[in-house]
Amino acid sequence: MRLKVFWLFILICDGAFGQKLVGKLISDGQPLAMANVIIFKEKDSTKPVVFTSSDSLGSFTGQLPAPGNYDMRIQLIGFSPWRKMITVDKEGVDLGLITMVLDNKNMQEITVTAWKKMIQRTNSGFTVQTDAILTQAAGTATDLLANIPSVLVDAEGAVSVRGKSPLILINGRNSNLGNNLNRIPASSVERIEIINNPGAKYDADGEGGVINIILKKNVKQGTNGAFALSGGYGAHERFAGSFMMNHRPGNTNLGLSYDTRIGRRTRQIEASRENFNLDEGHFLDQHRFDERKEINHNLKFNADHTTKRKDVFSFEGIYSYGNDWNYETLHSALSNKAGIFGEGNVRTSDERQAENELEGSLNYTRKFSDARRLLSAGISHSYGNESENTNIVSMATNESEIAISDPYNQKTRNDELTHITNLRLDMTFPLGGRALLDAGYKGIIRNIHSDFETSHEENGSYVTDPLASNIFDFDEQVHAIYGTYRSTAGENEKWKYEIGIRLEQMMNKGESDKALSSFSNSFFNFFPNLNLSYKFNSGSFVKLNIGRRINRPGLGQLNPFIDITDSLNPHGGNPGLKPELVNTAELGWGNDWEHISVNANLFYRAGHNTILPYVTLLPGGIALSRPENIGSSTTAGMETFVTVNTGKVWNSTASISLYNQVIKGNVGVDDVNSSMFSWYTKWVNNFNLWNNLRAQILLNYQAPTAVPQGTRIAVYNADIGIQQKLMKGKGRIGMTVTDVFNTLKNGNKLETPDFKSYRYVKSDTRAVFITFALTFGTAFKEKLMENKYSPE
């Protein structure tokens, strides 16, 4: 009965909001995104009745108030304006494919004043245009993700979607750059694709779906360039700069870009723990202060060539360098069960970290006379070289934190080499009628070599600690083939369906100096996927997705290196982790009205061998944290996006995610049972003020979230961005204030039969940035701060 009422409601909505308008924009056979579609009544060109834009697939939809004649116009920078009188009956109108024509002569004359959609729906999730996030103009890819609906970023930079870890790709490929998103400046990112329900074509890895970060690349004719400079101040000064340039005289395009980030940050950590089974050392109280300096440089080169037959060869090379210095001071005090001070310790650590990453990618795309056919192949290799050296000095202190012992000196060293190779072949075949078959192969080859050592000073020289030193080699290969049958049915292709399967063979092995750390595994898995959607005449739709995924441990989770910067709370990896298998389901509904767009999704995830961080209390009151396989977990919830566009002055995008997470299992002899309802919301407000001045206010709130042994605390903050056009649109100047009220903090509360703890982390997140950007060349006006770069 409830299901019948639900469908009756959908059908009523379907027929209550006017006539549907649909179409798709292309140029040279490729879809055109972000074009403005504006429709006026036949005799009234002062007020548009439809004001929308094409999505990443070139498609657009709209709602017309009544049958009749309308004046339709399409505008996109670099293309001749398109205009046509259309007649709409009570069934609506399907305009089919609309071909836009390049207009190099008038490219500099076009000015678009329409709002750009921050979120664009796709069949498998949504895409975020990062130029719509004004508040992170001087930030990093991590900062961008923290402001995107459905995505959470914790204090350590770990990313989750709907409470689960996603697979992070860079330009569609596995990359070392995805392991540290703080290396990627926000100004280098074109868009971010959130793929909640990946089809069989995508890697099955990542319980939280796939996040694909697309970097900027300009492909316009002529010689074009842009640069931006940012300066800011939080607890210390910060600086960022970027430069981009491309040259395309004909069928060959050459591009070069460089960016840098230099800054200093501070962080304070307050922590306490009660060890139930200890009389001496029953209570532990800690205060930690960190000061960090960061220097990052990124250099990117790309070359593309299109043959007379329209085949495309492309190469991309990326070099990234990072140098971090982190100085920490940690004060610890231990008390007995009666609360009487027992012993204290002050521990300083001087950590130096250097990282070099080099990546190359070669791709080929074959085009055919039938635009539905496609052949694409690619190979890429990503190399990373990271070294981390830390000097640690510890001294015993009295209750007044005065040193009462000689210094105890220690050193840690971790040298890590990583290699990631991608092999890819994708093909699309028409099967007759509307049906298409996608098929292909992907191979991923990963290797990590980690050489870490811990030593202490003894009689004037350093002696290696054999129990905390190791050489660890990890090799993994994943070979996958996939096939997807997709088609449409019904009038105006109301039904869309996609049925796919992915077969994966995974082999890995780990070898080390310690026999207990060596292992070898081989797994074969299949991953089916069903994606079904139906479009109503009003433009609303419903969709259903059912699939299976796997969550493989990352290289950092497998590395057995133990960080002893805090000797009472060390943390490290676990080379014995097994992959987590996950079954997924999602039901969604959405509709676009004249001023409001709504998209709602119900989702469910059930995982086995769930990978989560776990804290074990060792003898002597030492709490070791490392990832473990913990039984099973289920997550069920709802996610809703609402976009309101009332005109030129204000628009708003709000999202809310609500979910309940249940974790059941054990680690060794410890049972783990955790359940919590959680929710978070993000609200972006955009304002067009006067004289090309724009402003944005972004609000975030995350309610307490379940972890295996307790909860994470609530997280909330507000950011503001302002941007002014200069020099006839060629320049931009902007100001950003992050964490305006200085409320952003992270932490957790844990409670087990052995201990109870609380940890609070506060960084200098409140900062002010000023950014200036300028574009030059023959083909475009707006680039870095309000970019128009074509996607990779």
Side-chain angles (χ1 to χ4, degrees):
M1 180 63 184
R2 292 181 178 177
L3 183 60
K4 290 181 179 179
V5 171
F6 171 76
W7 280 108
L8 179 60
F9 171 75
I10 294 296
L11 291 172
I12 291 173
C13 292
D14 176 59
F17 296 97
Q19 279 60 48
K20 174 188 175 184
L21 169 80
V22 296
K24 183 173 182 178
L25 305 181
I26 62 171
S27 176
D28 196 21
Q30 299 300 308
L32 291 180
M34 300 304 295
N36 296 290
V37 179
I38 310 171
I39 300 178
F40 302 88
K41 290 183 179 179
E42 182 181 18
K43 297 181 180 180
D44 185 2
S45 62
T46 60
K47 183 179 179 181
V49 295
V50 171
F51 201 69
T52 186
S53 60
S54 58
D55 62 20
S56 59
L57 300 177
S59 300
F60 62 87
T61 62
Q63 292 298 125
L64 296 167
N69 297 323
Y70 292 89
D71 180 6
M72 179 174 174
R73 307 174 191 180
I74 303 175
Q75 293 181 339
L76 179 63
I77 288 180
F79 294 85
S80 298
W82 186 94
R83 184 173 181 179
K84 185 178 180 180
M85 298 299 297
I86 60 174
T87 300
V88 181
D89 57 25
K90 62 181 180 180
E91 299 298 327
V93 59
D94 186 348
L95 298 169
L97 294 177
I98 298 175
T99 300
M100 300 291 288
V101 179
L102 282 169
D103 185 7
N104 293 329
K105 182 184 297 185
N106 295 319
M107 272 195 257
Q108 294 182 342
E109 306 304 323
I110 301 174
T111 301
V112 179
T113 58
W115 288 109
K116 302 172 188 173
K117 286 186 177 180
M118 178 179 175
I119 297 176
Q120 296 178 345
R121 289 194 301 259
T122 65
N123 288 335
S124 55
F126 61 93
T127 297
V128 176
Q129 301 295 329
T130 57
D131 62 311
I133 306 178
L134 299 184
T135 57
Q136 297 302 326
T140 67
T142 302
D143 298 320
L144 288 174
L145 287 172
N147 288 279
I148 287 178
S150 186
V151 180
L152 293 179
V153 180
D154 67 15
E156 309 302 326
V159 179
S160 62
V161 177
R162 298 173 177 176
K164 298 297 180 180
S165 299
L167 171 66
I168 297 178
L169 303 177
I170 306 297
N171 289 343
R173 61 181 181 262
N174 306 79
S175 168
N176 280 309
L177 290 172
N179 297 330
N180 189 347
L181 298 179
N182 281 324
R183 301 274 189 230
I184 303 175
S187 61
S188 295
V189 180
E190 167 74 23
R191 68 178 189 274
I192 297 177
E193 299 173 347
I194 308 298
I195 307 169
N196 300 120
N197 303 294
K201 179 179 179 179
Y202 290 92
D203 295 6
D205 199 5
E207 182 180 356
V210 175
I211 294 179
N212 189 18
I213 298 176
I214 306 298
L215 304 180
K216 292 176 181 175
K217 181 176 73 174
N218 186 40
V219 295
K220 300 294 185 182
Q221 290 286 341
T223 300
N224 314 281
F227 72 87
L229 297 174
S230 297
Y233 193 86
H236 296 285
E237 65 284 350
R238 302 172 192 176
F239 169 81
S242 58
F243 172 80
M244 299 180 182
M245 187 172 183
N246 86 290
H247 177 65
R248 184 173 184 174
N251 292 334
T252 300
N253 180 65
L254 301 175
L256 184 68
S257 64
Y258 165 78
D259 58 74
T260 183
R261 294 179 65 252
I262 302 172
R264 298 170 65 191
R265 298 174 181 268
T266 62
R267 181 174 69 168
Q268 296 188 63
I269 301 176
E270 301 289 342
S272 64
R273 187 170 76 235
E274 182 180 0
N275 303 310
F276 299 139
N277 301 322
L278 296 178
D279 290 330
E280 299 299 324
H282 188 83
F283 293 102
L284 169 65
D285 293 292
Q286 293 181 301
H287 169 74
R288 173 173 156 182
F289 180 80
D290 301 350
E291 184 170 357
R292 188 177 187 89
K293 296 179 181 178
E294 303 171 325
I295 300 176
N296 295 308
H297 301 282
N298 296 284
L299 183 66
K300 176 186 167 188
F301 169 78
N302 64 270
D304 309 272
H305 178 71
T306 304
T307 67
K308 293 181 179 179
R309 196 172 58 179
K310 300 300 182 182
D311 294 349
V312 179
F313 295 86
S314 62
F315 169 80
E316 180 181 75
I318 300 175
Y319 172 71
S320 177
Y321 170 77
N323 194 332
D324 298 341
W325 172 82
N326 195 36
Y327 190 80
E328 304 173 3
T329 303
L330 174 64
H331 297 268
S332 302
L334 290 165
S335 305
N336 64 17
K337 201 169 186 177
I340 300 173
F341 176 82
E343 60 180 289
N345 180 277
V346 60
R347 189 177 182 90
T348 60
S349 61
D350 185 350
E351 177 185 282
R352 307 295 172 97
Q353 182 177 356
E355 185 173 356
N356 291 274
E357 294 170 352
L358 186 63
E359 188 167 313
S361 173
L362 182 64
N363 295 281
Y364 167 74
T365 301
R366 169 75 184 276
K367 297 185 179 181
F368 300 87
S369 56
D370 185 344
R372 298 182 301 168
R373 290 188 64 190
L374 179 69
L375 172 64
S376 178
I379 180 172
S380 69
H381 183 78
S382 180
Y383 164 79
N385 182 352
E386 180 180 355
S387 64
E388 181 181 303
N389 294 277
T390 307
N391 293 322
I392 302 171
V393 180
S394 303
M395 289 184 293
T397 60
N398 60 21
E399 192 170 4
S400 301
E401 297 190 343
I402 298 174
I404 57 174
S405 72
D406 293 331
Y408 177 64
N409 299 316
Q410 294 173 285
K411 289 184 179 181
T412 66
R413 173 184 59 81
N414 183 21
D415 296 322
E416 187 172 292
L417 299 177
T418 58
H419 296 268
I420 302 176
T421 300
N422 294 266
L423 306 170
R424 177 185 59 83
L425 176 65
D426 298 303
M427 298 171 286
T428 299
F429 306 95
L431 297 180
R434 302 174 180 176
L436 297 171
L437 174 65
D438 298 323
Y441 158 82
K442 183 173 182 180
I444 305 172
I445 303 171
R446 301 194 298 173
N447 170 265
I448 177 174
H449 174 83
S450 179
D451 181 356
F452 57 92
E453 181 182 85
T454 300
S455 59
H456 64 275
E457 188 177 22
E458 189 174 302
N459 297 323
S461 60
Y462 280 86
V463 178
T464 300
D465 181 356
L467 297 178
S469 304
N470 202 348
I471 296 177
F472 178 66
D473 284 289
F474 174 79
D475 295 283
E476 181 180 77
Q477 294 188 32
V478 181
H479 299 280
I481 58 173
Y482 75 90
T484 300
Y485 177 86
R486 54 189 173 98
S487 187
T488 61
E491 184 181 357
N492 295 324
E493 300 184 335
K494 288 187 174 183
W495 287 97
K496 288 186 178 180
Y497 55 93
E498 180 180 301
I499 304 171
I501 187 167
R502 187 180 184 91
L503 308 177
E504 288 192 353
Q505 174 67 51
M506 188 270 284
M507 301 163 288
N508 67 22
K509 64 178 181 178
E511 298 178 350
S512 72
D513 289 352
K514 306 294 184 297
L516 294 177
S517 299
S518 300
F519 61 90
S520 178
N521 295 303
S522 178
F523 300 98
F524 174 81
N525 287 290
F526 67 95
F527 302 94
N529 180 269
L530 170 66
N531 199 328
L532 179 67
S533 66
Y534 178 79
K535 295 189 298 183
F536 296 97
N537 290 331
S538 66
S540 65
F541 70 91
V542 291
K543 64 177 183 179
L544 173 68
N545 180 276
I546 300 173
R548 191 173 190 237
R549 298 192 61 73
I550 191 170
N551 186 24
R552 297 190 187 90
L555 299 180
Q557 292 175 305
L558 293 167
N559 188 345
F561 170 70
I562 302 296
D563 189 323
I564 61 167
T565 303
D566 181 352
S567 60
L568 296 173
N569 295 282
H571 62 274
N574 180 1
L577 289 174
K578 293 181 173 62
E580 174 185 6
L581 289 171
V582 187
N583 295 315
T584 69
E586 181 167 329
L587 177 66
W589 172 82
N591 195 27
D592 293 322
W593 292 282
E594 183 177 357
H595 298 299
I596 299 177
S597 176
V598 178
N599 189 28
N601 301 281
L602 300 174
F603 58 88
Y604 177 80
R605 304 281 188 270
H608 177 65
N609 278 339
T610 301
I611 301 173
L612 289 168
Y614 191 81
V615 179
T616 303
L617 192 63
L618 303 177
I622 297 173
L624 173 64
S625 175
R626 69 175 197 165
E628 300 281 359
N629 288 115
I630 303 175
S632 64
S633 66
T634 59
T635 304
M638 182 183 75
E639 188 173 72
T640 302
F641 304 101
V642 179
T643 298
V644 179
N645 188 352
T646 60
K648 294 183 178 180
V649 177
W650 172 77
N651 82 346
S652 171
T653 298
S655 69
I656 183 169
S657 297
L658 307 96
Y659 62 91
N660 190 68
Q661 189 173 40
V662 179
I663 302 167
K664 293 183 178 180
N666 59 77
V667 177
V669 297
D670 296 336
D671 291 329
V672 179
N673 289 284
S674 177
S675 176
M676 173 171 279
F677 172 80
S678 186
W679 65 279
Y680 56 93
T681 182
K682 299 183 180 183
W683 186 20
V684 181
N685 290 274
N686 293 301
F687 302 90
N688 257 339
L689 301 177
W690 61 87
N691 294 328
N692 295 317
L693 179 64
R694 296 195 304 158
Q696 182 178 86
I697 300 175
L698 191 147
L699 306 174
N700 285 330
Y701 178 81
Q702 175 191 343
T705 307
V707 294
Q709 296 162 288
T711 61
R712 289 195 183 103
I713 65 174
V715 178
Y716 46 94
N717 68 288
D719 299 334
I720 294 177
I722 301 174
Q723 188 181 113
Q724 173 70 58
K725 290 183 180 180
L726 303 170
M727 305 168 63
K728 298 182 179 180
K730 293 183 178 181
R732 298 284 191 280
I733 188 168
M735 182 180 74
T736 298
V737 183
T738 59
D739 194 15
V740 177
F741 303 106
N742 203 29
T743 56
L744 184 59
K745 61 183 180 181
N746 290 271
N748 58 51
K749 298 178 181 179
L750 307 180
E751 185 165 4
T752 76
D754 297 322
F755 69 90
K756 178 172 66 175
S757 69
Y758 172 75
R759 189 171 188 263
Y760 160 90
V761 181
K762 183 70 183 80
S763 301
D764 59 332
T765 49
R766 180 163 60 183
V768 179
F769 299 91
I770 302 295
T771 301
F772 174 75
L774 181 67
T775 64
F776 58 90
T778 60
F780 57 92
K781 285 185 178 181
E782 305 175 347
K783 290 302 175 191
L784 284 182
M785 294 176 65
E786 188 177 348
N787 66 73
K788 292 290 183 183
Y789 280 92
S790 300
E792 289 270 337

